[in-house]
Amino acid sequence: MSGRFSRSAAVFGTVAVVAATLQGSAQADGPDESAPAAPGAGERAGHPPQFPPGRPAPPKQPVATGFGGAVATVDADATAAGMRALRRGGTATDAAVAAAAALGVTEPFSSGIGGGGFYVHYDAGTGEVSTLDGRETAPAAATEELFIDAETGEPLPFQQARVSGLSVGTPGTLQTWQEALDRWGRRSLADALSPATRLAARGFVVDETFRSQVAGNAELFADFPASAELFLPDGAPPEVGSRLRNRDLAATYRLIARHGTDAFYGGEIGADVAATVQDPPVADDADRDVRPGSMTVDDLAGYEVVEREPTTVEYDGLQVFGMGPPSSGGSTVGEALNILETADPGPDDTTAALHHYLEASALAFADRNRYVGDPDVVDVPLDELLSQGFADERACEIAPAAAADKPVAPGVPDGEYTGGDSCGPEAGAGAVAHEGMSTTHLTTADRWGNVVAYTLTIEQTGGSGIAVPGRGFLLNNELTDFNFAPSQGDAPDPNLPGPGKRPRSSISPTIVLDDGEPFLALGTPGGSTIITTVLQTLVNRIDLGMDLPEALAAPRASQRNTPSVTAEPEFVESRSGEQLRSLGHSFTTTPEIGALTGLEFLRGGRIQAVAEPERRGGGSAAVLFPVR
Ligand code: GLU
């Protein structure tokens, strides 16, 4: 499915583009973070500030087009922190780390140094795409029965597993920042942490997304005094428009700026992390059975970010690079694109293109569930999953006029394929596991042409719900991304817990090159819908003639090999939604899917930075110079 629309649509597209620079924005180039807060606006009339007044939140614009570098995140303060790094001569990596550190303050329920993530980098000097795996890791003492209740022999209920020390993986985020800066940065970690430290010390303006994320976790946070102290001022979620400080996190960032990442991996912060995991500090009056975990200071001291080979597929003459295992993002997006490469839905037939998109997603998910796990522990047939031969064989399962019954069975990526003349053998069917809906994604580019797509997470919105006392950040519950019990029938499950193992992820930071030059960079949160959202946005942009802002704003649908497609109401109600129903697709609606950010590299050195116009309250895109 390819080549039916011009890829240069965005150059001439009809979507209004607002050039935004954050030059001169209040947050951007402030004095040193230790200076006292300046008085200012930012408190909404009728809501007295809970803390002394400070600077207003910088403006939020979802689309910006221009030159010299760009940042797109879900949050205006984080985008401002990234832009500050670019303005000071920093690289895409300096900007990405500065933005990520700021997200640890303003998006603490989706990111932060208590979590992990995956980092994809394009180096303009060498033309190489590299990837860093900063995934959280099970402690050395973890076993396959991590989430099995010893008394009943049954898997723990999800919420009980989530809110426990058991679910907390050894965090990889801080080491990812340092590793990325060592390879591709021009500035120090201390410099990257500076705007975020200032933001935490002086406070930021609470928006609707922040408040609703606290409200959704209020009962949980109330059971952990350290979490309640941070996020429930006066015992309740902070008001929209009020200013929230996180002095503990400011102090933690300062400590790291002074002593480096050793303060965390083996140092005093790490000691507090391990103590919290081993004995979660629950409120005296909490009616909650919170199981301890086994993470030790040695687990932290031994943590390693791993450089992995990126996944690569050709699609419509483009080179699509993604994140390999333990993320299933690159392999699943890549396999689905290979399947779509064989499809020929007919000119301008959007419904047929979407039918193929849904069917290809289901097939690729069946294979993901059956074959993908931590490559250091299980044998992942990655080359075969990404081979065109396997995709041709899988594409045979798609009937142009009828949706297949779901779940579909996985294929057999054994190197011997039918060539698409007949459908290949099938392996036993597998179940679909639970996955969260949190996380955040950011995308940056610099004046040299380097590009970063970085997705970071603490798994659920609010992670485990357990903050490290006195340190200002939440611990992840990433280990619940493991399957709690075997899910693949008689076949081995690649994603069961194990000592030092990394749980399978869906995170899909993606960089697309056109003849070796950057064309697109994108990613999103959303649990396993991450994969389908990245895939659908690529289909929208490359096959359906949308420019990037349109591709991103379009209603979403996610088929992850389940009986019905999960879709946004606007998708179900669209003409294509109606036509897809007549092909046999059924839908379950959900208010929104994902919160994507991305960049498109236009002609003549222009960059278009794009964030969500609406979802999760809208994101923030900026470029260094609106005109050359
Ligand atoms: N924990 C999920 C993963 O790594 C991401 C969670 C989310 O995006 O909500 O795949």
Side-chain angles (χ1 to χ4, degrees), residues 135 435-439 457 459 478 481 504-507 525-527 530:
R135 185 66 161 169
E435 280 176 58
M437 295 291 279
S438 173
T439 305
T457 181
E459 215 300 286
E478 213 71 52
D481 275 0
R504 179 174 61 212
S505 173
S506 299
I507 285 175
I530 289 173

Side-chain angles (χ1 to χ4, degrees), residues 409-438:
V412 181
D414 59 0
E416 296 189 8
Y417 305 120
T418 59
D421 300 334
S422 61
C423 294
E426 292 180 346
V432 178
H434 165 89
E435 280 176 58
M437 295 291 279
S438 173

Side-chain angles (χ1 to χ4, degrees), residues 20-33:
T21 66
L22 293 179
Q23 273 178 319
S25 110
Q27 211 64 48
D29 277 322
D32 183 71
E33 54 86 7

Side-chain angles (χ1 to χ4, degrees), residues 233 276 292 334 515 619:
T276 305
D515 207 14

